[in-house]
Coordinates of all heavy atoms in Angstrom, one line a residue:
M12 N 9.3 -20.4 10.7 CA 8.0 -19.7 10.5 C 7.2 -20.5 9.5 O 7.6 -20.7 8.4 CB 8.3 -18.3 10.0 CG 7.0 -17.6 9.6 SD 7.3 -15.9 9.1 CE 7.7 -15.2 10.6
R13 N 6.0 -20.9 9.9 CA 5.1 -21.6 9.0 C 4.4 -20.6 8.0 O 3.8 -19.7 8.4 CB 4.0 -22.4 9.8 CG 4.5 -23.4 10.7 CD 4.9 -24.7 10.2 NE 4.0 -25.3 9.2 CZ 4.3 -26.2 8.3 NH1 5.6 -26.6 8.2 NH2 3.5 -26.7 7.5
L14 N 4.6 -21.0 6.7 CA 4.0 -20.1 5.6 C 3.4 -21.1 4.6 O 3.8 -22.2 4.4 CB 5.1 -19.3 5.0 CG 5.8 -18.3 5.8 CD1 7.0 -17.8 5.1 CD2 4.9 -17.2 6.2
K15 N 2.4 -20.6 3.9 CA 1.8 -21.3 2.8 C 2.2 -20.5 1.5 O 1.9 -19.4 1.4 CB 0.3 -21.3 2.9 CG -0.3 -22.1 1.7 CD -1.8 -22.2 1.9 CE -2.3 -23.1 0.7 NZ -3.7 -23.6 1.0
L16 N 2.9 -21.2 0.6 CA 3.4 -20.7 -0.6 C 2.6 -21.3 -1.7 O 2.4 -22.5 -1.8 CB 4.9 -21.0 -0.8 CG 5.8 -20.6 0.4 CD1 7.3 -21.0 0.1 CD2 5.8 -19.1 0.7
E17 N 2.2 -20.4 -2.7 CA 1.5 -20.9 -3.9 C 2.2 -20.3 -5.1 O 2.7 -19.2 -5.1 CB 0.1 -20.4 -3.8 CG -0.7 -21.0 -2.7 CD -2.2 -20.7 -2.7 OE1 -2.7 -20.2 -3.7 OE2 -2.8 -20.9 -1.6
F18 N 2.2 -21.1 -6.2 CA 2.8 -20.8 -7.5 C 1.9 -21.0 -8.6 O 1.2 -22.0 -8.7 CB 4.1 -21.6 -7.6 CG 5.0 -21.7 -6.4 CD1 4.9 -22.8 -5.6 CD2 5.8 -20.6 -6.1 CE1 5.7 -22.8 -4.4 CE2 6.6 -20.7 -5.0 CZ 6.5 -21.8 -4.1
S19 N 1.8 -20.1 -9.6 CA 1.0 -20.3 -10.8 C 1.6 -19.5 -12.0 O 2.6 -18.8 -11.8 CB -0.4 -19.9 -10.5 OG -0.5 -18.5 -10.3
G20 N 1.0 -19.7 -13.1 CA 1.5 -19.1 -14.3 C 2.8 -19.7 -14.9 O 3.5 -19.1 -15.6
G21 N 3.0 -20.9 -14.5 CA 4.2 -21.6 -14.9 C 5.3 -21.7 -13.9 O 6.3 -22.5 -14.0
L22 N 5.3 -20.9 -12.8 CA 6.3 -20.9 -11.8 C 6.4 -22.2 -11.1 O 7.4 -22.6 -10.6 CB 6.1 -19.8 -10.8 CG 6.5 -18.4 -11.2 CD1 6.2 -17.4 -10.1 CD2 8.0 -18.4 -11.5
E23 N 5.3 -22.9 -11.0 CA 5.2 -24.2 -10.3 C 6.3 -25.2 -10.9 O 6.8 -26.1 -10.3 CB 3.8 -24.8 -10.3 CG 3.3 -25.2 -11.7 CD 2.6 -24.0 -12.4 OE1 2.6 -22.9 -11.9 OE2 2.0 -24.3 -13.4
L24 N 6.6 -25.0 -12.2 CA 7.6 -25.8 -12.9 C 9.0 -25.7 -12.2 O 9.8 -26.7 -12.2 CB 7.7 -25.5 -14.4 CG 6.4 -25.8 -15.1 CD1 6.5 -25.3 -16.6 CD2 5.9 -27.2 -15.1
L25 N 9.3 -24.6 -11.7 CA 10.6 -24.4 -11.0 C 10.6 -25.1 -9.6 O 11.6 -25.3 -9.0 CB 10.8 -22.9 -10.8 CG 10.9 -22.0 -12.1 CD1 11.1 -20.6 -11.7 CD2 11.9 -22.5 -13.1
F26 N 9.4 -25.4 -9.1 CA 9.2 -26.0 -7.8 C 8.8 -27.4 -7.9 O 7.9 -27.8 -7.2 CB 8.3 -25.1 -6.9 CG 8.8 -23.7 -6.6 CD1 8.6 -22.7 -7.5 CD2 9.6 -23.5 -5.5 CE1 9.1 -21.4 -7.3 CE2 10.1 -22.2 -5.2 CZ 9.9 -21.2 -6.1
A27 N 9.3 -28.1 -8.9 CA 9.0 -29.5 -9.1 C 7.5 -29.8 -9.3 O 7.0 -30.8 -8.9 CB 9.5 -30.4 -7.9
G28 N 6.9 -28.9 -10.0 CA 5.5 -29.0 -10.3 C 4.5 -28.8 -9.1 O 3.3 -29.0 -9.3
Q29 N 5.0 -28.4 -8.0 CA 4.2 -28.1 -6.8 C 3.5 -26.7 -7.0 O 4.2 -25.7 -7.1 CB 5.0 -28.1 -5.5 CG 5.7 -29.4 -5.3 CD 4.7 -30.5 -4.9 OE1 3.8 -30.3 -4.1 NE2 4.9 -31.7 -5.4
K30 N 2.2 -26.7 -6.9 CA 1.4 -25.5 -6.9 C 1.3 -24.9 -5.6 O 1.1 -23.7 -5.4 CB 0.1 -25.7 -7.6 CG 0.1 -26.0 -9.0 CD -1.3 -26.0 -9.6 CE -1.2 -26.2 -11.1 NZ -1.4 -25.0 -11.8
E31 N 1.4 -25.7 -4.5 CA 1.2 -25.2 -3.1 C 2.2 -25.9 -2.3 O 2.5 -27.1 -2.4 CB -0.2 -25.5 -2.6 CG -1.3 -24.8 -3.3 CD -2.6 -25.0 -2.6 OE1 -2.7 -25.7 -1.6 OE2 -3.6 -24.5 -3.2
L32 N 2.9 -25.2 -1.4 CA 3.8 -25.8 -0.4 C 3.5 -25.1 1.0 O 3.4 -23.9 1.1 CB 5.2 -25.5 -0.8 CG 5.8 -26.1 -2.0 CD1 7.2 -25.6 -2.4 CD2 5.9 -27.6 -1.8
D33 N 3.4 -26.0 2.0 CA 3.4 -25.5 3.4 C 4.8 -25.7 3.9 O 5.3 -26.8 3.9 CB 2.4 -26.3 4.2 CG 1.0 -26.0 3.8 OD1 0.6 -24.9 3.7 OD2 0.2 -27.0 3.6
V34 N 5.5 -24.6 4.3 CA 6.8 -24.7 4.7 C 7.0 -24.2 6.1 O 6.2 -23.4 6.6 CB 7.8 -23.9 3.7 CG1 7.6 -24.5 2.3 CG2 7.4 -22.4 3.7
D35 N 8.1 -24.6 6.7 CA 8.6 -24.0 7.9 C 9.9 -23.4 7.6 O 11.0 -24.1 7.6 CB 8.7 -25.1 9.0 CG 8.8 -24.6 10.4 OD1 8.8 -23.3 10.5 OD2 9.0 -25.4 11.3
A36 N 9.9 -22.1 7.3 CA 11.1 -21.4 6.9 C 11.9 -20.8 8.1 O 11.3 -20.0 8.8 CB 10.8 -20.3 5.9
P37 N 13.2 -21.2 8.3 CA 13.9 -20.7 9.4 C 14.5 -19.3 9.0 O 15.7 -19.2 8.6 CB 15.0 -21.7 9.6 CG 15.2 -22.3 8.2 CD 13.9 -22.3 7.6
L38 N 13.7 -18.3 9.1 CA 14.2 -16.9 8.6 C 14.9 -16.2 9.7 O 14.4 -16.2 10.9 CB 13.0 -16.1 8.1 CG 12.2 -16.8 7.0 CD1 11.0 -15.9 6.6 CD2 13.0 -17.1 5.8
D39 N 16.0 -15.5 9.4 CA 16.6 -14.6 10.4 C 15.7 -13.5 10.8 O 15.7 -13.1 11.9 CB 18.0 -14.1 9.8 CG 19.0 -15.2 9.6 OD1 18.9 -16.2 10.3 OD2 19.9 -15.0 8.8
K40 N 15.1 -12.9 9.8 CA 14.1 -11.8 10.0 C 12.9 -12.2 9.2 O 13.0 -12.7 8.1 CB 14.7 -10.5 9.5 CG 15.8 -10.0 10.3 CD 16.4 -8.7 9.7 CE 15.6 -7.5 10.1 NZ 16.2 -6.2 9.6
P41 N 11.7 -12.0 9.8 CA 10.5 -12.4 9.1 C 10.1 -11.4 8.0 O 9.0 -10.8 8.0 CB 9.5 -12.4 10.2 CG 9.9 -11.4 11.1 CD 11.4 -11.4 11.1
T42 N 10.9 -11.3 7.0 CA 10.6 -10.4 5.8 C 10.7 -11.1 4.5 O 11.4 -12.2 4.4 CB 11.6 -9.2 5.8 OG1 12.9 -9.7 5.5 CG2 11.5 -8.4 7.1
V43 N 10.1 -10.6 3.5 CA 10.2 -11.2 2.1 C 11.6 -11.2 1.7 O 12.1 -12.1 1.0 CB 9.3 -10.4 1.2 CG1 9.5 -11.0 -0.3 CG2 7.8 -10.6 1.6
A44 N 12.4 -10.2 2.1 CA 13.8 -10.1 1.7 C 14.6 -11.4 2.2 O 15.6 -11.8 1.5 CB 14.5 -8.8 2.2
H45 N 14.2 -12.0 3.3 CA 14.9 -13.1 3.8 C 14.2 -14.4 3.3 O 14.8 -15.5 3.2 CB 14.9 -13.1 5.3 CG 15.9 -12.1 5.9 ND1 15.6 -10.8 6.1 CD2 17.1 -12.3 6.2 CE1 16.6 -10.2 6.5 NE2 17.6 -11.1 6.6
L46 N 12.9 -14.3 2.9 CA 12.2 -15.5 2.4 C 12.7 -15.9 1.0 O 12.9 -17.0 0.7 CB 10.7 -15.2 2.4 CG 9.8 -16.3 1.7 CD1 9.9 -17.6 2.5 CD2 8.4 -15.8 1.6
L47 N 12.9 -14.9 0.1 CA 13.2 -15.2 -1.3 C 14.5 -16.0 -1.4 O 14.5 -17.0 -2.1 CB 13.3 -13.9 -2.1 CG 11.9 -13.2 -2.3 CD1 12.1 -11.9 -3.0 CD2 10.9 -14.1 -2.9
P48 N 15.6 -15.6 -0.8 CA 16.8 -16.4 -1.0 C 16.7 -17.8 -0.3 O 17.3 -18.7 -0.8 CB 17.9 -15.6 -0.3 CG 17.3 -14.4 0.4 CD 15.9 -14.3 -0.1
W49 N 16.0 -17.9 0.8 CA 15.7 -19.2 1.4 C 15.0 -20.1 0.4 O 15.3 -21.2 0.2 CB 15.0 -19.1 2.7 CG 14.7 -20.4 3.3 CD1 15.6 -21.1 4.1 CD2 13.6 -21.2 3.1 NE1 15.0 -22.3 4.4 CE2 13.8 -22.4 3.8 CE3 12.4 -21.1 2.5 CZ2 12.9 -23.4 3.9 CZ3 11.4 -22.1 2.5 CH2 11.7 -23.3 3.2
M50 N 14.0 -19.5 -0.3 CA 13.2 -20.3 -1.3 C 14.1 -20.7 -2.4 O 14.1 -21.9 -2.8 CB 12.0 -19.4 -1.8 CG 10.9 -19.2 -0.8 SD 9.6 -18.1 -1.5 CE 9.1 -19.1 -2.9
R51 N 14.9 -19.8 -2.9 CA 15.8 -20.1 -4.0 C 16.8 -21.2 -3.7 O 17.0 -22.2 -4.4 CB 16.6 -18.8 -4.4 CG 17.6 -19.1 -5.6 CD 18.6 -18.0 -5.7 NE 19.4 -17.9 -4.4 CZ 19.8 -16.8 -3.8 NH1 19.5 -15.6 -4.4 NH2 20.4 -16.8 -2.7
D52 N 17.3 -21.2 -2.5 CA 18.3 -22.1 -2.0 C 17.8 -23.5 -1.6 O 18.4 -24.5 -1.7 CB 19.2 -21.6 -0.9 CG 20.0 -20.3 -1.4 OD1 20.1 -20.1 -2.6 OD2 20.4 -19.6 -0.5
N53 N 16.5 -23.5 -1.2 CA 15.9 -24.7 -0.6 C 14.7 -25.3 -1.3 O 14.5 -26.5 -1.2 CB 15.5 -24.4 0.8 CG 16.7 -24.1 1.7 OD1 17.4 -25.0 2.2 ND2 16.9 -22.9 2.0
L54 N 14.0 -24.5 -2.1 CA 12.8 -25.0 -2.8 C 12.9 -25.1 -4.3 O 12.3 -25.9 -4.9 CB 11.6 -24.2 -2.4 CG 11.3 -24.1 -0.9 CD1 10.2 -23.2 -0.6 CD2 11.1 -25.5 -0.3
V55 N 13.6 -24.1 -4.9 CA 13.7 -24.1 -6.4 C 14.5 -25.3 -6.8 O 15.6 -25.5 -6.4 CB 14.3 -22.8 -6.9 CG1 14.5 -22.8 -8.4 CG2 13.4 -21.6 -6.5
K56 N 13.9 -26.1 -7.7 CA 14.5 -27.4 -8.2 C 15.3 -27.2 -9.5 O 16.1 -28.0 -9.8 CB 13.5 -28.5 -8.3 CG 12.7 -28.8 -7.1 CD 13.6 -29.2 -6.0 CE 12.9 -29.5 -4.7 NZ 13.7 -29.6 -3.5
E57 N 15.0 -26.2 -10.2 CA 15.7 -25.9 -11.5 C 15.6 -24.5 -11.9 O 14.7 -23.8 -11.5 CB 15.2 -26.8 -12.6 CG 13.7 -26.7 -13.0 CD 13.3 -27.6 -14.0 OE1 13.1 -28.8 -13.7 OE2 13.2 -27.1 -15.2
R58 N 16.6 -24.0 -12.6 CA 16.7 -22.7 -13.2 C 16.3 -21.5 -12.2 O 15.4 -20.8 -12.4 CB 15.8 -22.6 -14.4 CG 16.1 -23.8 -15.3 CD 16.3 -23.6 -16.8 NE 16.6 -22.3 -17.3 CZ 16.1 -21.8 -18.4 NH1 15.2 -22.5 -19.1 NH2 16.5 -20.6 -18.8
P59 N 17.0 -21.4 -11.1 CA 16.7 -20.3 -10.1 C 16.8 -18.9 -10.7 O 16.1 -18.0 -10.2 CB 17.8 -20.5 -9.0 CG 18.9 -21.3 -9.7 CD 18.2 -22.2 -10.7
E60 N 17.5 -18.8 -11.8 CA 17.6 -17.5 -12.4 C 16.2 -17.0 -13.0 O 16.0 -15.9 -13.3 CB 18.7 -17.4 -13.5 CG 18.4 -18.3 -14.8 CD 18.7 -19.7 -14.6 OE1 19.1 -20.2 -13.6 OE2 18.6 -20.4 -15.7
L61 N 15.3 -18.0 -13.2 CA 14.0 -17.6 -13.7 C 13.1 -17.2 -12.5 O 12.0 -16.6 -12.8 CB 13.3 -18.8 -14.4 CG 14.0 -19.2 -15.7 CD1 13.3 -20.4 -16.3 CD2 14.1 -18.1 -16.7
F62 N 13.5 -17.4 -11.3 CA 12.7 -17.0 -10.1 C 13.2 -15.7 -9.6 O 12.5 -14.8 -9.3 CB 12.8 -18.1 -9.1 CG 12.0 -17.7 -7.8 CD1 10.6 -17.5 -7.9 CD2 12.7 -17.6 -6.6 CE1 9.9 -17.2 -6.7 CE2 12.0 -17.3 -5.4 CZ 10.6 -17.1 -5.5
M63 N 14.5 -15.5 -9.5 CA 15.1 -14.3 -8.9 C 16.1 -13.6 -9.8 O 16.8 -14.3 -10.5 CB 15.8 -14.6 -7.5 CG 14.8 -14.9 -6.4 SD 15.7 -15.2 -4.8 CE 16.3 -13.5 -4.5
K64 N 16.2 -12.3 -9.7 CA 17.2 -11.5 -10.3 C 17.8 -10.6 -9.3 O 17.1 -9.8 -8.7 CB 16.7 -10.7 -11.5 CG 17.7 -9.9 -12.2 CD 17.1 -9.2 -13.4 CE 18.2 -8.5 -14.2 NZ 17.7 -7.8 -15.4
G65 N 19.0 -10.8 -8.9 CA 19.6 -10.1 -7.8 C 19.0 -10.5 -6.5 O 18.9 -11.7 -6.2
D66 N 18.5 -9.6 -5.7 CA 17.9 -9.9 -4.4 C 16.4 -9.9 -4.4 O 15.8 -9.9 -3.4 CB 18.5 -9.0 -3.3 CG 18.1 -7.5 -3.6 OD1 17.5 -7.2 -4.7 OD2 18.3 -6.7 -2.7
T67 N 15.8 -9.9 -5.6 CA 14.3 -9.8 -5.7 C 13.8 -10.8 -6.8 O 14.6 -11.4 -7.4 CB 13.8 -8.4 -5.9 OG1 12.4 -8.3 -5.8 CG2 14.2 -7.9 -7.3
V68 N 12.5 -10.9 -6.9 CA 11.9 -11.7 -7.9 C 12.1 -11.1 -9.3 O 12.3 -9.9 -9.4 CB 10.4 -12.0 -7.7 CG1 10.2 -12.8 -6.5 CG2 9.6 -10.7 -7.6
R69 N 12.2 -11.9 -10.3 CA 12.4 -11.4 -11.6 C 11.2 -10.5 -12.0 O 10.0 -10.7 -11.6 CB 12.5 -12.5 -12.6 CG 13.8 -13.3 -12.5 CD 14.1 -14.1 -13.7 NE 14.3 -13.4 -14.9 CZ 15.4 -12.8 -15.3 NH1 16.5 -12.8 -14.5 NH2 15.5 -12.1 -16.4
P70 N 11.4 -9.5 -12.9 CA 10.3 -8.7 -13.4 C 9.3 -9.7 -14.1 O 9.6 -10.7 -14.7 CB 10.9 -7.8 -14.5 CG 12.4 -7.8 -14.1 CD 12.7 -9.1 -13.4
G71 N 8.0 -9.4 -13.9 CA 6.9 -10.2 -14.5 C 6.4 -11.2 -13.5 O 5.5 -12.0 -13.8
I72 N 6.9 -11.2 -12.3 CA 6.4 -12.1 -11.2 C 5.6 -11.3 -10.2 O 6.2 -10.4 -9.6 CB 7.5 -12.9 -10.5 CG1 8.2 -13.9 -11.5 CG2 6.9 -13.7 -9.3 CD1 9.3 -14.7 -10.9
L73 N 4.3 -11.5 -10.1 CA 3.5 -10.8 -9.1 C 3.6 -11.5 -7.8 O 3.6 -12.8 -7.7 CB 2.1 -10.8 -9.5 CG 1.8 -10.1 -10.8 CD1 0.3 -10.2 -11.1 CD2 2.1 -8.6 -10.8
V74 N 3.7 -10.8 -6.7 CA 3.7 -11.4 -5.4 C 2.6 -10.8 -4.6 O 2.4 -9.6 -4.5 CB 5.1 -11.1 -4.6 CG1 5.1 -11.7 -3.3 CG2 6.3 -11.5 -5.5
L75 N 1.8 -11.7 -4.0 CA 0.7 -11.4 -3.1 C 0.9 -11.9 -1.7 O 1.3 -13.1 -1.6 CB -0.6 -11.9 -3.6 CG -1.0 -11.6 -5.1 CD1 -2.3 -12.3 -5.5 CD2 -1.2 -10.0 -5.2
I76 N 0.7 -11.1 -0.7 CA 0.8 -11.5 0.7 C -0.5 -11.4 1.3 O -1.1 -10.3 1.4 CB 1.8 -10.7 1.4 CG1 3.2 -10.7 0.8 CG2 1.9 -11.1 2.9 CD1 4.2 -9.7 1.3
N77 N -1.1 -12.5 1.6 CA -2.5 -12.6 2.1 C -3.4 -11.8 1.2 O -4.2 -11.0 1.7 CB -2.6 -12.1 3.5 CG -1.7 -12.9 4.5 OD1 -1.7 -14.1 4.4 ND2 -1.1 -12.3 5.4
D78 N -3.3 -12.1 -0.1 CA -4.2 -11.5 -1.1 C -4.0 -10.0 -1.4 O -4.8 -9.4 -2.1 CB -5.7 -11.8 -0.9 CG -6.0 -13.2 -0.9 OD1 -5.4 -14.0 -1.7 OD2 -6.9 -13.7 0.0
S79 N -2.9 -9.4 -0.9 CA -2.6 -8.0 -1.1 C -1.3 -8.0 -1.9 O -0.3 -8.7 -1.6 CB -2.4 -7.3 0.2 OG -3.6 -7.2 0.9
D80 N -1.2 -7.0 -2.9 CA 0.0 -6.8 -3.7 C 1.1 -6.5 -2.7 O 1.0 -5.6 -1.9 CB -0.3 -5.7 -4.7 CG 0.8 -5.6 -5.7 OD1 2.0 -5.8 -5.4 OD2 0.5 -5.1 -6.8
W81 N 2.2 -7.1 -2.9 CA 3.4 -6.9 -2.0 C 3.9 -5.4 -2.1 O 4.5 -4.9 -1.2 CB 4.5 -7.9 -2.2 CG 5.4 -7.7 -3.4 CD1 5.0 -7.4 -4.7 CD2 6.7 -8.0 -3.5 NE1 6.1 -7.3 -5.5 CE2 7.2 -7.7 -4.8 CE3 7.7 -8.3 -2.6 CZ2 8.5 -7.8 -5.2 CZ3 9.0 -8.5 -3.0 CH2 9.4 -8.2 -4.3
E82 N 3.6 -4.8 -3.2 CA 4.0 -3.4 -3.4 C 3.3 -2.5 -2.4 O 3.8 -1.4 -1.9 CB 3.7 -2.9 -4.8 CG 4.7 -3.5 -5.8 CD 4.4 -3.0 -7.2 OE1 3.6 -2.1 -7.4 OE2 5.1 -3.6 -8.1
L83 N 2.1 -2.9 -1.9 CA 1.3 -2.2 -0.9 C 1.8 -2.5 0.5 O 1.5 -1.8 1.5 CB -0.2 -2.4 -1.0 CG -0.8 -2.1 -2.4 CD1 -2.2 -2.5 -2.5 CD2 -0.6 -0.6 -2.7
C84 N 2.5 -3.6 0.6 CA 3.0 -4.1 1.9 C 4.4 -3.8 2.2 O 4.9 -4.2 3.3 CB 2.8 -5.7 1.9 SG 1.1 -6.2 1.6
G85 N 5.1 -3.2 1.3 CA 6.5 -2.9 1.6 C 7.5 -3.6 0.7 O 8.7 -3.5 1.0
M86 N 7.1 -4.4 -0.2 CA 7.9 -5.2 -1.1 C 8.9 -6.1 -0.3 O 8.5 -6.9 0.5 CB 8.6 -4.4 -2.1 CG 7.6 -3.7 -3.1 SD 8.3 -2.7 -4.4 CE 9.0 -3.8 -5.4
L87 N 10.2 -5.9 -0.5 CA 11.2 -6.8 0.2 C 11.1 -6.6 1.7 O 11.4 -7.6 2.4 CB 12.6 -6.5 -0.3 CG 12.9 -6.9 -1.7 CD1 14.3 -6.4 -2.2 CD2 12.8 -8.5 -1.9
E88 N 10.7 -5.4 2.2 CA 10.7 -5.2 3.6 C 9.4 -5.6 4.2 O 9.2 -5.5 5.5 CB 11.0 -3.7 3.9 CG 12.3 -3.3 3.4 CD 13.5 -4.2 3.9 OE1 13.5 -4.5 5.1 OE2 14.3 -4.6 3.1
A89 N 8.5 -6.2 3.4 CA 7.2 -6.6 4.0 C 7.4 -7.7 5.1 O 8.1 -8.6 4.8 CB 6.3 -7.2 2.9
E90 N 6.8 -7.4 6.2 CA 7.0 -8.4 7.3 C 6.0 -9.5 7.2 O 4.8 -9.3 6.9 CB 6.8 -7.6 8.7 CG 7.9 -6.7 8.9 CD 8.1 -6.2 10.4 OE1 7.4 -6.9 11.2 OE2 8.8 -5.3 10.6
L91 N 6.4 -10.7 7.5 CA 5.6 -11.9 7.4 C 5.3 -12.4 8.9 O 6.1 -12.1 9.8 CB 6.4 -13.0 6.7 CG 6.7 -12.7 5.3 CD1 7.7 -13.7 4.7 CD2 5.5 -12.5 4.4
T92 N 4.2 -13.0 9.0 CA 3.8 -13.5 10.3 C 3.4 -15.0 10.1 O 3.1 -15.4 9.0 CB 2.6 -12.8 11.0 OG1 1.5 -12.8 10.1 CG2 3.0 -11.3 11.3
E93 N 3.4 -15.7 11.2 CA 3.1 -17.2 11.2 C 1.8 -17.4 10.5 O 0.8 -16.7 10.7 CB 3.0 -17.7 12.6 CG 2.9 -19.1 12.8 CD 4.2 -19.8 12.7 OE1 5.3 -19.2 12.8 OE2 4.2 -21.1 12.4
G94 N 1.8 -18.3 9.5 CA 0.6 -18.7 8.8 C 0.2 -17.8 7.6 O -0.8 -18.1 6.9
D95 N 1.1 -16.9 7.3 CA 0.8 -16.0 6.1 C 0.8 -16.9 4.8 O 1.5 -17.9 4.7 CB 1.9 -14.9 5.9 CG 1.6 -13.7 6.8 OD1 0.5 -13.7 7.4 OD2 2.4 -12.8 6.9
Q96 N 0.0 -16.4 3.8 CA 0.0 -17.0 2.5 C 0.7 -16.0 1.6 O 0.4 -14.8 1.5 CB -1.5 -17.1 2.0 CG -1.6 -17.6 0.6 CD -3.0 -17.5 0.1 OE1 -3.6 -16.4 0.2 NE2 -3.5 -18.5 -0.6
V97 N 1.7 -16.6 0.8 CA 2.5 -15.8 -0.1 C 2.3 -16.5 -1.5 O 2.6 -17.7 -1.6 CB 4.0 -15.7 0.3 CG1 4.7 -14.7 -0.7 CG2 4.1 -15.2 1.7
V98 N 1.8 -15.7 -2.4 CA 1.5 -16.3 -3.8 C 2.4 -15.6 -4.8 O 2.6 -14.4 -4.8 CB 0.0 -16.0 -4.1 CG1 -0.3 -16.5 -5.5 CG2 -0.9 -16.6 -3.1
F99 N 3.0 -16.4 -5.7 CA 3.8 -16.0 -6.7 C 3.2 -16.3 -8.1 O 2.9 -17.5 -8.3 CB 5.2 -16.6 -6.6 CG 5.9 -16.3 -5.3 CD1 5.7 -17.1 -4.2 CD2 6.8 -15.3 -5.3 CE1 6.3 -16.8 -3.0 CE2 7.4 -15.0 -4.1 CZ 7.2 -15.8 -3.0
I100 N 2.9 -15.3 -8.9 CA 2.3 -15.5 -10.2 C 3.1 -15.0 -11.3 O 3.4 -13.8 -11.3 CB 0.9 -14.8 -10.2 CG1 0.0 -15.3 -9.0 CG2 0.2 -15.1 -11.5 CD1 -1.2 -14.5 -8.8
S101 N 3.5 -15.8 -12.2 CA 4.2 -15.4 -13.4 C 3.2 -14.8 -14.4 O 2.2 -15.4 -14.8 CB 5.0 -16.5 -14.1 OG 5.6 -16.0 -15.2
T102 N 3.6 -13.6 -14.9 CA 2.7 -13.0 -15.9 C 3.3 -13.2 -17.3 O 2.8 -12.7 -18.3 CB 2.5 -11.5 -15.7 OG1 3.8 -10.8 -15.7 CG2 1.9 -11.3 -14.3
L103 N 4.5 -13.8 -17.4 CA 5.2 -14.0 -18.6 C 4.9 -15.5 -19.1 O 5.2 -16.4 -18.5 CB 6.7 -13.9 -18.5 CG 7.1 -12.5 -17.9 CD1 8.6 -12.5 -17.6 CD2 6.7 -11.4 -18.8
H104 N 4.3 -15.5 -20.3 CA 3.9 -16.8 -20.9 C 4.4 -16.9 -22.3 O 4.4 -15.9 -23.0 CB 2.4 -17.0 -20.8 CG 1.8 -16.9 -19.5 ND1 1.9 -17.9 -18.6 CD2 1.1 -15.9 -18.9 CE1 1.3 -17.5 -17.4 NE2 0.8 -16.3 -17.6
G105 N 4.7 -18.1 -22.8 CA 5.1 -18.3 -24.2 C 3.8 -18.1 -25.1 O 2.7 -18.3 -24.6
G106 N 4.1 -17.9 -26.3 CA 2.9 -17.7 -27.2 C 2.9 -18.7 -28.3 O 3.6 -19.6 -28.5

C-alpha cells in the first residue's frame, strides 16, 4: 500500500533525518495498528523506543491521517487507503 509519511518535531531524527517518506508498505490489514510495527521494524533507524510504546505511538506524538486527528479516525483501528498521508508530530521538545 502506497502511503506518504511525514515526521516533524524531532521525530525525523529517528528516521535518518527524513522529514517525508513515500513508502509501499506490505500490510496484512490496512490499519494504523499494522502500519506502526512495520514502520518500527523497517524505517526507524535508531531508538525505536522513542517512537513506540507497546503497540502504539509514545505519549506526546500526534498522528494525523489526511490532516485529521487519528483519535477522530479510530486510532489504531483507523483504516488506511492507497495514497493516504500519515503525519507524526512530536510535541515533546528539550528546553
Side-chain angles (χ1 to χ4, degrees):
M12 171 178 292
R13 298 284 309 159
L14 299 169
K15 181 173 184 165
L16 307 177
E17 295 184 16
F18 312 99
S19 63
L22 280 179
E23 64 273 10
L24 299 174
L25 303 179
F26 295 86
Q29 299 289 316
K30 289 186 175 261
E31 296 181 5
L32 291 171
D33 291 311
V34 299
D35 192 3
L38 305 178
D39 293 334
K40 293 174 82 177
T42 63
V43 174
H45 287 86
L46 175 64
L47 294 177
W49 180 84
M50 289 176 62
R51 179 196 61 219
D52 296 343
N53 295 282
L54 301 178
V55 174
K56 301 302 181 194
E57 59 181 77
R58 311 227 19 218
E60 70 277 6
L61 295 179
F62 180 61
M63 289 185 69
K64 182 176 182 179
D66 62 353
T67 191
V68 292
R69 289 196 63 84
I72 296 177
L73 300 177
V74 181
L75 303 174
I76 302 169
N77 298 323
D78 297 323
S79 295
D80 189 329
W81 78 319
E82 292 182 6
L83 302 174
C84 301
M86 296 179 71
L87 290 173
E88 299 309 312
E90 292 196 15
L91 301 169
T92 58
E93 190 80 19
D95 278 354
Q96 175 192 46
V97 187
V98 178
F99 299 87
I100 304 168
S101 176
T102 61
L103 304 175
H104 304 282

